[in-house]
Amino acid sequence: GEVGATSTLAHKIGPLGLYPKKVGVDIAKATGAWKGLRITVELKIQNRQATVSVVPSAGSLIIKALKEPPRDRKKVKNISHNGNITMDDIIEIARTMRSRSGARYLSGTCKEILGTAQSVGCTVDGQPPHDIIDSINSGDVEIPEE
């Protein structure tokens, strides 16, 4: 949503002949939907043209699924994300993160996301995420193959 200090961009893209301020504006446009969240941005530079793509982390996808109102990162600190998300949300996030996951199956990726949900501090279908991880391991909760 907002751009960090252009000085951090300057020494990375200055030698490539790009203007940090212009790239900062492009980043702000691309991350408009993620206002108030920290998010990783990938810059691809070709022929002195920068294209910006958003690479969301599991944590930011979970916080976005909680549908919390956007906050001002500079003012509001140490926020507790004590909302509740559905198992369908977890599976959807796992499908998004599948390419960057270390797991062989979608169920493993779901467990990774549930672990992140636990550290974010939210509940899944009203239960703590670790209980759901245990029930996936025991086979009580079915996760689709793909």
Side-chain angles (χ1 to χ4, degrees):
E2 63 250 13
V3 190
T6 33
S7 55
T8 53
L9 271 175
H11 68 93
K12 292 184 180 102
I13 62 173
L16 300 169
L18 293 165
Y19 299 109
K21 182 135 183 156
K22 191 166 167 260
V23 175
V25 170
D26 291 344
I27 291 172
K29 273 190 203 135
T31 58
W34 300 88
K35 195 138 185 65
L37 290 177
R38 274 194 155 230
I39 192 133
T40 314
V41 175
E42 186 179 24
L43 286 174
K44 283 199 175 106
I45 293 153
Q46 221 171 11
N47 303 337
R48 288 188 61 191
Q49 279 293 315
T51 49
V52 181
S53 55
V54 176
V55 186
S57 65
S60 50
L61 282 167
I62 288 170
I63 293 170
K64 194 173 183 188
L66 284 168
K67 295 181 180 66
E68 292 177 345
R71 65 190 177 97
D72 189 355
R73 264 210 346 258
K74 290 179 182 74
K75 292 181 184 127
V76 188
K77 297 283 187 233
N78 301 334
I79 192 166
S80 64
H81 305 284
N82 52 6
N84 184 33
I85 53 179
T86 63
M87 194 59 200
D88 295 336
D89 286 339
I90 294 284
I91 292 170
E92 204 53 49
I93 293 169
R95 286 198 175 110
T96 310
M97 296 291 292
R98 190 77 188 98
S99 57
R100 288 183 287 146
S101 163
R104 279 168 60 191
Y105 305 109
L106 188 65
S107 59
T109 312
C110 281
K111 286 190 253 183
E112 286 178 12
I113 304 298
L114 284 162
T116 310
Q118 183 171 346
S119 54
V120 164
C122 62
T123 56
V124 178
D125 289 336
Q127 318 173 260
H130 211 277
D131 296 355
I132 296 178
I133 293 177
D134 292 338
S135 56
I136 290 173
N137 288 340
S138 65
D140 297 338
V141 173
E142 285 290 310
I143 302 287
E145 285 298 308
E146 275 309 310

